[in-house]
Amino acid sequence: MPPGVSRSGELGELLRGESYLADEGLVTAIFLALKLGRPLFLEGEAGVGKTEVAKVLSRILDTPLIRLQCYEGIDVFQAVYEWDYARQLLHIRAAEAFGEEDRAHVERDLYDREFLVSRPLLQALEHRGPMPPVLLIDEVDRSDDEFEAYLLEILSDFAVTIPELGTIAAERPPVAVLTSNRTREVHDALKRRCLYHYIEHPGFEREVEIVKLRVPEAEEELARQVAAATENMRSMDLYKPPGVAETLDWTEALVALGARELDEKLVEATLGSVLKYREDQQRAKAAGLSALVGGVRSAGGDA
């Protein structure tokens, strides 16, 4: 737990101080994960700020962030450890060159700690420092069932057994944050090991606050227009609806162009900052950018 934090509200203020505006449900989930020492499982659409939670926690706790990016086919050797076969081969050749005759001794040396390459999960377990690290296991839904089962084992005991070296356990469990874009359902067993929270797209007013917090150079009117336009786009049944990350990208692009308010021409010129698929851009244009901008003004005016 960060120093001086004994209630979830105090944690929420710390998150805001790091430019992360979380709703009460998310702040409570993070607080409980820290308080109870449980992994935090965050699910939601891409771009809603799941990964950012781990980055902000790393800054608040003043501890390293160790990231494992999951993908299809990832296995223990990419996630935990692997032996450095090239160095082992060099060791064998050096032993032969210097006339080492004790073959058993040479083979034992091959599996010494110096030939072990630590990957993110092992790095998190072996971390030594005043605070445990933040371990981000990102997009776990991209990995396959076998790796998910292995994660379940790691998160149960925060220990890993390497046959040649024995069991390595964390002195203190890392602050574990798992994320999923829900491209597939993650098994219940893994979720049961964690505290779960689903991050929704923010409402209009909160998204305006986020834009103002993260892009302070943006004019108030522009921030409201961008938030409202993004909200409208999310109702268009797009292949990839824009998340908060795209809202911020778009705002930064508009600020870089010196924009103070949206108009149809600006929306068309910067559409690639918020919609990253050609089909989605075509759908937005087919719906009418003027209607989109008109909706922006209406939403901004109502707020």
Side-chain angles (χ1 to χ4, degrees), residues 49-169:
K50 302 183 296 297
T51 301
E52 193 65 19
V53 169
K55 293 179 180 177
V56 172
L57 280 178
S58 170
R59 296 199 294 270
I60 287 177
L61 296 169
D62 192 22
T63 193
L65 172 69
I66 298 175
R67 178 173 184 167
L68 174 64
Q69 177 64 53
C70 295
Y71 51 88
E72 187 177 356
I74 189 172
D75 60 20
V76 171
F77 301 114
Q78 283 93 42
V80 188
Y81 74 92
E82 66 178 332
W83 292 103
D84 189 338
Y85 295 118
R87 288 194 62 207
Q88 286 175 320
L89 185 58
L90 286 174
H91 179 75
I92 292 172
R93 289 178 177 171
E96 290 173 346
F98 288 101
E100 176 61 70
E101 296 179 353
D102 188 344
R103 186 180 180 84
H105 184 261
V106 172
E107 289 181 355
R108 278 198 305 276
D109 284 350
L110 290 179
Y111 293 99
D112 190 81
R113 187 67 179 76
E114 68 174 301
F115 294 111
L116 192 73
V117 180
S118 297
R119 299 303 185 195
L121 292 180
L122 184 57
Q123 290 170 14
L125 298 180
E126 291 188 314
H127 176 79
R128 302 291 182 265
M131 293 287 287
V134 174
L135 172 62
L136 169 63
I137 303 175
D138 214 8
E139 300 184 345
V140 68
D141 52 318
R142 289 192 177 190
S143 63
D144 52 31
D145 291 348
E146 289 76 14
F147 184 71
E148 196 179 306
Y150 189 78
L151 273 183
L152 181 64
E153 185 180 340
I154 292 267
L155 294 176
S156 297
D157 301 323
F158 287 104
V160 60
T161 298
I162 301 174
E164 298 85 356
L165 297 178
T167 298
I168 297 174

Side-chain angles (χ1 to χ4, degrees), residues 21 65 69 84 97 159 207 213 221 225 258 287:
L21 191 61
L65 172 69
Q69 177 64 53
D84 189 338
E207 189 150 25
L213 194 64
E221 182 65 13
Q225 289 179 323

Side-chain angles (χ1 to χ4, degrees), residues 180-198:
S180 167
N181 292 335
R182 210 174 185 181
T183 56
R184 69 170 177 85
E185 285 295 331
V186 173
H187 287 185
D188 290 345
L190 184 58
K191 287 185 177 178
R192 280 199 298 272
R193 288 280 185 277
C194 310
L195 293 177
Y196 174 86
H197 184 80
Y198 189 90

